[in-house]
Every structure is written in structure tokens, then in C-alpha cells.
Amino acid sequence: MVSGSEIALLSVFVSTIVASALLFVVIVVKAVHRRRMRSFERRYAVYLRLLAQQVAVKNPRRKLDSAVVTDPAFLDALIDLRQTVKGPEVEKLDGLVDELGLVAHQEKLLHRRWPPTKRFRAAVALAEMGDDSSTATLITALEDRHQEIRVQAARGLARMGHRPAIDHILQRLGAETPWVRARFGDTLIRFGNAATEPLVRYLRAGATLADPEGAVEVIRILGAAGDPEAGPALLDALLHATHPEVRLAATSALGRVGGPTAAPIVLAAFDTGGWRLRTRAAHALGELGDPIALPRLERALSDPDWWVRRNAASALAKLPGGTTVLYACLASKDASARDAAAEALAAVGAIAESRRRAEAGLARTDDLRLLALVEAT
Amino acid sequence: MADTKRILIADDAATVAALLTAALEMDGYDVTSVGDGERAFEEGATGRYDLVIIDQLMPGLLGIEVIAKWRAAGNDVPVMMLSAVDDEYTVVNSLQLGAVDFVRKPFNMQELLERVRRNLG
């Protein structure tokens, strides 16, 4: 009969063996990994030198063996070098890519189902090389099951400026996670004004109702691109969208996109959506620069929300006649309005100007008010 | 027979160092490469070099700091500044400190070689 202490001893013994075995495995794996990394770094350095010679010399003596296309160290060296040079050197590297059949090899890797790391690396390589022959592969990769590969595919298509890809990317927008949506958005911005029409079409097709998250991203892109052609669609979104985030996004985007009808409509929408909309509307009116906004912005200096007051004051500082309004506000009975006005005037260097005038004995009433307010805080 | 001109490359990016070394050696120059600002200063202070090609953003001392230290020590080795950053401060400062040229990254290799030849007289 086995006693309790014998069982305990046996347990300790077995645990020690198992722990030692695990430790041994970890040590071996780390050692193998270190060796692989050192070998990768050595190969990378060799390829870099070889590629640099290919690029720098008119008739390089040593041709590259096509077997290098299977080595990820070669791919990394090629991509890194491609980012370092411009002009004829990039064309030489592209010529090498063609000669070695690099694109075809990476496409084969991407079409496999496994392993994901090699597939991802292949997607990055195709995106970096930006070869027109890989557009079909990259468009297919927009539907890949791995989100990182989808993002690389979009990136590559944007680098190539392949316009037909815009609609493919847009179609995926609503179904994507927020991270992928934002990355897709960044790639659409790269297309510049070429993306305006498809994006506007997307909005007008009912995205603001059917896909508000996608619509918010599209509106962000239109704002970042700043193409005035997007103005009418953004105004529509502000006036007619029911989703609050869509209206907020449209308000911000209008500040960048502008247009002659933007300021009156932003003004009309000012009080239709809570403090967040008022905040963005105030900022947008400052960007639009239309003095029609002066009265409403002056009233907004007394808004119950701090952020609205701050944005209204900053906006006034940008409008013709706005600083006059800000100076006048320094005499207001509303302390919050006075503070907001003083802060905006300080941001445009008014305090320094007032001090200079005071020192020269030329201070105006407004200067004295401003300096007194600054002293008091 | 003319002496071989010696060039010091100071850049922590392996790709830039490899590319410049290959191109300049093919063009007949004797090239040394270092990867940080401190080593760049020490190596440049030896007086062995006819031209230095230096990156602005390096570990240790910045390129502009290395040039300032050389000039303060009376070292007037010709310097070409290489940088991905071409804001007015960096460009003007490096030229005021005596850099003979400023090349923006990414660069055209043949144009850079031509500038090297010109700056070496």
C-alpha cells in the first residue's frame, strides 16, 4: 500500500521532471530563434550590399540568382532599398523585380492558405512593390480572411493609384472592424480627388441610413481630401442624416471642404444637435471664415459648454471683424465669456501686442481690459 | 597618380550606408561608414577624410550637433548633410555651420554622386 508521503514525493518528482523538460524546450526554442535571426541579419546585410551594387553601378558584374526570391531577407533588403532611393534607381530595382519574377512568387505565396506569416509578408511585398500586374491579386485579397492582409491589399492598390479599387474598398467599408475601416480610410485619402466621386456616390446611395459607421468614415475622408466637389453631399448629410455621428462628421468635414453655401447651412444647423454639434459647428465656421457667422459665434461665447465657448472664441479670432467682437467681450458681465475671449486673443498674440502698446504709453481701453484680465488670472 | 579621396559616411540606416558605400567605392573612393553621432564625431576628428556625408537623425549626437562640435574644435572638413527632414531650421542651420551641401532623402544616386564629385573639387 502506497503511503501519502510517497505519493507526495512522487508528485514532486514528476513535477520537477515536467518543469525541467519545459524549461529545456524553451531554452532550445530561444536558441534556435536567435540563430535564425543572426542568420537572417547576415543574409540581409549581404543582399543589401548586392542590391546596392546593382543599383549604383551601370553594368553590374554579378547577376542575382533567381533563387533569392524565396528568401525573406532578400525581400526585406529590396523593399528597404526601394524606400531609400528615387528616380532611375527605383526603375532599376523594378527591373530587377521583373527579371527575378518576384511578383509572381509573392502572388503564389499569397494564394496559399498557410502559413499566415508568409502570406502576410507576401501581401506587404506586393503592396510595397506596387507592380501593376498584381492589381487583380490585391483586389481579391481585399476579401481575405485575415484583416492585416486586407489592409495591405488596400494599401498596395492606393500606392499604385489603381482607381477601380476605390469601389471595391468602399463596398467592404461597412462590414469591417473599426480598425480596418480607419486603415481603408487612410488608403482612400491617398487616392486624392480621384476618390471624391465614388465617395459621394456612396453617401448619396443611402449609406448615411444603411451604414452610418461607413458613412462617418467616408465623410472623414472627404474632409481630409478637402475637395470642394464634396461640399453638396456633406451639406446634405448635415441637413438630412438622422444618425448624430454622421451629422457631427459632416460638420467637421465642411470646415475643411468649404464652399459658398456652407456657412449659412452650418449656422442653420448650429442648434440642432446638442453641445457636440455646436462645438464642431463653431470650429467649422472659423475654418470657413465667413463673417456671416459673427453674431452667432458671439452668442456662443456665453454657451453653457466650455468647449463650445472655446471653439467659438477661436473661430472669432479667424473671422474678419472677429477680434473686435472678442475685445468687446472683455467687458462682458459673463466671466466665462471674458475668459474664452481672453484665451483666444492670447492665442493670436494680442497680449504681447497690448503689453507693447502699454509700455509705449499707447494702450487702448481694450488693451487695459485684456491686461487686467490676464493679471487677475 | 592622384591620391584616392577618403569619404566618411555617418548614417544609422543600414540601407543608406550600404548603398552609398557601394556607389562611392565603385566611383573610386575610399569609404568608411559609422552608425551613430558619437563615432561620427570621433572618426571625423581624425582629419583623415576629404568629405563627410552625414545623416541628421542619428543615435547619440544629431548630424547638426556633430558639425557644430567639429567647427568648435577647428575642424573644417567639408560636410554634406543627408536628411529626410528638410525643414528650414535644419537646412539653414547646417549650411550656416559650414555644410557644403544638403541632400534630401530619398535621393537620386547619380545626382548625389555628381554632388560628391563637385564638392571634392
Side-chain angles (χ1 to χ4, degrees):
Chain A
M1 181 105 165
V2 179
S3 69
S5 57
E6 282 167 345
I7 291 172
L9 261 172
L10 188 63
S11 307
V12 167
F13 178 71
V14 167
S15 306
T16 308
I17 297 288
V18 167
S20 304
L22 281 172
L23 188 61
F24 178 74
V25 165
V26 166
I27 290 170
V28 165
V29 164
K30 283 184 94 162
V32 165
H33 176 73
R34 255 199 311 273
R35 202 170 157 185
R36 271 197 188 150
M37 285 309 296
R38 273 201 295 268
S39 163
F40 182 95
E41 282 159 11
R42 268 199 304 270
R43 294 193 324 272
Y44 175 89
V46 166
Y47 289 135
L48 207 53
R49 264 198 308 279
L50 278 173
L51 284 167
Q53 283 164 2
Q54 297 285 319
V55 162
V57 177
K58 280 194 178 131
N59 296 305
R61 280 175 303 205
R62 191 170 165 184
K63 292 288 177 192
L64 290 167
D65 187 340
S66 58
V68 298
V69 299
T70 59
D71 193 339
F74 175 78
L75 202 54
D76 280 4
L78 178 72
I79 289 169
D80 287 349
L81 201 58
R82 206 173 177 283
Q83 289 170 348
T84 305
V85 293
K86 67 177 184 183
E89 284 86 37
V90 171
E91 286 164 21
K92 274 195 188 178
L93 287 170
D94 288 348
L96 265 177
V97 165
D98 288 339
E99 226 176 272
L100 295 169
L102 207 60
V103 170
H105 180 77
Q106 297 307 318
E107 285 181 334
K108 255 172 55 182
L109 283 174
L110 188 56
H111 285 139
R112 286 190 197 160
R113 294 191 65 77
W114 189 263
T117 46
K118 283 194 176 172
R119 295 188 70 240
F120 173 69
R121 209 182 254 278
V124 170
L126 290 171
E128 287 292 333
M129 287 187 288
D131 193 289
D132 287 340
S133 65
S134 58
T135 51
T137 299
L138 289 175
I139 287 180
T140 306
L142 287 173
E143 310 266 338
D144 196 275
R145 63 188 184 281
H146 291 117
Q147 63 178 16
E148 293 87 354
I149 290 176
R150 298 199 295 275
V151 166
Q152 290 303 322
R155 204 176 131 253
L157 291 162
R159 285 193 76 184
M160 288 180 230
H162 185 69
R163 291 186 190 189
I166 296 173
D167 282 320
H168 289 277
I169 295 170
L170 275 173
Q171 275 162 27
R172 291 223 41 97
L173 216 56
E176 287 292 355
T177 62
W179 180 77
V180 175
R181 211 170 21 244
R183 301 289 76 73
F184 275 11
D186 294 340
T187 58
L188 287 169
I189 290 170
R190 284 196 77 154
F191 281 101
N193 291 353
T196 302
E197 198 224 313
L199 290 169
V200 165
R201 219 184 317 123
Y202 179 86
L203 283 182
R204 293 215 187 278
T208 54
L209 272 174
D211 174 24
E213 284 162 347
V216 166
E217 189 59 37
V218 164
I219 290 169
R220 177 185 81 87
I221 298 162
L222 289 169
D227 186 351
E229 295 293 314
L234 293 172
L235 289 168
D236 261 351
L238 173 57
L239 288 172
H240 303 123
T242 52
H243 198 288
E245 295 299 324
V246 173
R247 299 187 71 225
L248 287 172
T251 311
S252 296
L254 277 165
R256 285 184 222 110
V257 164
T261 53
I265 292 180
V266 171
L267 270 172
F270 201 99
D271 294 295
T272 64
W275 71 268
R276 292 176 71 204
L277 190 70
R278 293 198 305 278
T279 301
R280 297 214 190 178
H283 181 79
L285 289 168
E287 298 296 302
L288 292 167
D290 191 332
I292 193 182
L294 283 172
R296 187 60 190 90
L297 287 170
E298 185 178 1
R299 286 203 310 281
L301 289 174
S302 300
D303 193 279
D305 186 85
W306 164 81
W307 210 340
V308 176
R309 294 194 300 269
R310 183 179 170 277
N311 278 10
S314 300
L316 281 165
K318 292 177 190 165
L319 296 185
T323 45
T324 307
V325 171
L326 288 171
Y327 273 112
C329 188
L330 295 177
S332 167
K333 290 186 178 126
D334 182 342
S336 303
R338 287 200 307 268
D339 286 345
E343 193 186 322
L345 286 168
V348 297
I351 295 177
E353 279 297 315
S354 295
R355 282 207 176 110
R356 258 197 295 278
R357 280 195 284 270
E359 278 161 15
L362 300 168
R364 306 166 309 189
T365 313
D366 288 339
D367 294 320
L368 297 171
R369 275 200 194 114
L370 180 59
L371 290 172
L373 204 58
V374 168
E375 295 292 314
T377 53
Chain B
M1 191 164 125
D3 284 338
T4 304
K5 299 285 187 186
R6 289 200 183 101
I7 298 179
L8 173 66
I9 298 169
D11 199 314
D12 61 321
T15 38
V16 173
L19 182 59
L20 290 178
T21 301
L24 292 167
E25 283 180 349
M26 291 289 172
D27 232 27
Y29 300 107
D30 187 346
V31 181
T32 303
S33 173
V34 295
D36 66 77
E38 295 286 355
R39 284 189 58 208
F41 172 71
E42 285 159 12
E43 196 60 37
T46 59
R48 283 206 295 263
Y49 299 96
D50 301 292
L51 180 73
V52 177
I53 302 175
I54 193 164
D55 184 31
Q56 163 63 350
L57 294 172
M58 284 189 291
L61 294 169
L62 295 176
I64 215 160
E65 290 169 345
V66 174
I67 301 174
K69 281 185 77 167
W70 280 333
R71 299 303 183 243
N75 182 350
D76 60 358
V77 62
V79 179
M80 286 174 65
M81 176 72 86
L82 203 59
S83 183
V85 176
D86 65 351
D87 61 280
E88 197 181 314
Y89 170 80
T90 307
V91 175
V92 168
N93 240 16
S94 55
L95 293 173
Q96 278 176 344
L97 283 167
V100 298
D101 212 340
F102 188 100
V103 178
R104 197 180 181 279
K105 291 180 184 178
F107 50 83
N108 178 312
M109 193 68 239
Q110 293 305 321
E111 183 191 318
L112 189 138
L113 287 174
E114 193 47 51
R115 286 173 182 240
V116 166
R117 283 178 212 120
R118 193 187 61 199
N119 289 318
L120 281 169

